[in-house]
Amino acid sequence: MTNVPSTGPVVPPPPVWDARPVDTAVRYGGFWIRTVAAIIDGIILLVAGTIVSRFIVPPPVHPAEPQFKTLGEVYGYMNAVIAATTPTQMVIFWAALYWVYFAFQEASPAQATLGKRALGLRVSSVEGGRLDLAKATLRTWPMYLPAAALLIGAGISYVVYLLALISCLVVAFSSRKQGLHDRWAGAVVTRNA
């Protein structure tokens, strides 16, 4: 018989109380939850932008109300009101505000806008890393480019808006819930479990 030194009784390791199966499946942020996040972001931007624009952009000047005699005068008046309420400075202000809000927050360590954070969404590269500002800018073009296209003309702006809408609708039909803008930037939107 061999003498084995006794070290005492063998004690099993303590139990792990929060043991859960590891979920390796990635949950992507789908169309509807991203839509709700965009609505939250839109409300935040509307309130903040309206307040800030009062100090930066001069208030629009509306033409005096004429007495309309023909339909052409009504049309001319409406064009004058639209031109007075959407001056170049206002278009630049709103396009820049949307770009700064979306691109800088999604390239930040938080990797999400306030609306996305409220719903547990995060924007990252396909590999899981953080987007740089250039990729975040490319990813968020549907938010700011339609407004910026107004500087070229309303017709171009409508075309850009339609392309942005199509890019966002693709999210609903993609297996990884990526819009065209997400694919171009190499990004995905994921959900917390």
Side-chain angles (χ1 to χ4, degrees):
M1 178 166 181
T2 345
N3 283 344
V4 178
S6 174
T7 58
V10 176
V11 179
V16 179
W17 298 107
D18 64 343
R20 289 175 272 162
V22 177
D23 183 16
T24 58
V26 176
R27 293 183 57 197
Y28 296 106
F31 178 79
W32 290 113
I33 193 164
R34 288 170 69 169
T35 300
V36 173
I39 291 169
I40 293 169
D41 289 328
I43 292 168
I44 292 167
L45 277 168
L46 180 63
V47 171
T50 301
I51 293 168
V52 171
S53 72
R54 299 286 182 221
F55 299 105
I56 294 177
V57 181
V61 178
H62 297 286
E65 293 224 18
Q67 299 296 324
F68 300 122
K69 294 180 182 158
T70 66
L71 189 58
E73 288 177 359
V74 173
Y75 180 73
Y77 175 74
M78 293 305 292
N79 280 340
V81 169
I82 290 170
T85 56
T86 57
T88 302
Q89 299 132 331
M90 191 61 87
V91 171
I92 291 170
F93 169 76
W94 283 101
L97 181 66
Y98 269 74
W99 171 69
V100 166
Y101 181 84
F102 284 95
F104 277 79
Q105 285 192 74
E106 292 179 358
S108 74
Q111 295 179 259
T113 61
L114 296 174
K116 286 182 181 72
R117 286 183 229 175
L119 299 175
L121 298 174
R122 186 178 75 126
V123 180
S124 62
S125 68
V126 176
E127 297 84 26
R130 198 168 109 190
L131 296 181
D132 60 21
L133 187 57
K135 287 188 178 186
T137 296
L138 178 61
R139 188 196 165 282
T140 60
W141 75 264
M143 299 300 180
Y144 64 84
L145 204 54
L150 274 172
L151 296 172
I152 299 170
I156 296 294
S157 180
Y158 289 132
V159 171
V160 173
Y161 178 76
L162 180 62
L163 292 173
L165 184 63
I166 291 168
S167 179
C168 293
L169 286 174
V170 168
V171 170
F173 305 103
S174 168
S175 62
R176 293 172 72 179
K177 305 301 179 194
Q178 289 176 295
L180 297 177
H181 55 293
D182 294 317
R183 290 180 186 175
W184 295 340
V188 292
V189 178
T190 56
R191 291 178 67 176
N192 294 340

